[in-house]
Amino acid sequence: MSGDELENNVQTLLKECLAIDGVVKGLHQCTKALDSRRAIFCILADNCDEANYKKLIEALCKHHNIPFIKFPDNKKLGQLAGLCKLDREMNPRKVVACSVVIITARPAICESWDYLNGVAAKA
């Protein structure tokens, strides 16, 4: 699994899930989605500053049997999740870091979904 392949698949999945309003971002909203069992997949930033943050999300995912993957960069995850402004040339500006993203609804047909579930199963 290469970093570019992972990033491309996460980007595709988030783009399609954002279109159907199936993405939750941030610690508070994500813990609510995990506890209410609305979550079907979790993407956790590996470079999160707070160790307890990562432990909490991992424990909730394991407790509720939610598959999760670790994404290398929280700034890039925030950009892919739509937490940035775009300038006239469509370059991202003012990117907000995001340490966790939860998928609550998935597209009907998505190769990225199958790929990321396979990665989560191997982890």
Side-chain angles (χ1 to χ4, degrees), residues 1-14 16 40-43 67-72 80 103 106-123:
M1 162 185 71
S2 71
D4 289 338
E5 189 176 11
L6 177 67
E7 185 177 319
N8 290 338
N9 280 291
V10 167
Q11 179 178 11
T12 303
L13 179 65
L14 287 177
E16 292 182 17
I40 57 175
F41 195 80
C42 177
I43 304 168
F68 71 94
I69 61 166
K70 292 188 178 178
F71 193 78
L80 297 177
I103 305 297
R106 63 169 260 182
I109 300 171
C110 183
E111 290 178 13
S112 295
W113 175 262
D114 299 330
Y115 172 82
L116 292 173
N117 265 320
V119 170
K122 291 177 187 174

Side-chain angles (χ1 to χ4, degrees), residues 45-62:
D46 206 22
N47 67 338
C48 176
D49 297 334
E50 188 64 43
N52 290 332
Y53 189 110
K54 287 169 56 170
K55 285 181 188 176
L56 172 66
I57 297 298
E58 287 179 15
L60 285 171
C61 286
K62 288 177 183 174

Side-chain angles (χ1 to χ4, degrees), residues 17-93:
C17 290
L18 281 166
I20 59 173
D21 198 29
V23 176
V24 178
K25 302 161 272 207
L27 180 63
H28 183 70
Q29 294 298 318
C30 287
T31 53
K32 281 174 47 178
L34 285 164
D35 278 339
S36 66
R37 299 183 186 246
R38 291 185 306 125
I40 57 175
F41 195 80
C42 177
I43 304 168
L44 179 63
D46 206 22
N47 67 338
C48 176
D49 297 334
E50 188 64 43
N52 290 332
Y53 189 110
K54 287 169 56 170
K55 285 181 188 176
L56 172 66
I57 297 298
E58 287 179 15
L60 285 171
C61 286
K62 288 177 183 174
H63 178 72
H64 296 299
N65 295 319
I66 306 298
F68 71 94
I69 61 166
K70 292 188 178 178
F71 193 78
D73 184 32
N74 58 359
K75 283 277 195 188
K76 187 66 177 176
L77 184 58
Q79 178 186 339
L80 297 177
L83 297 175
C84 65
K85 303 253 185 211
L86 300 175
D87 63 12
R88 291 181 184 184
E89 291 81 35
M90 300 306 286
N91 296 320
R93 300 281 184 237

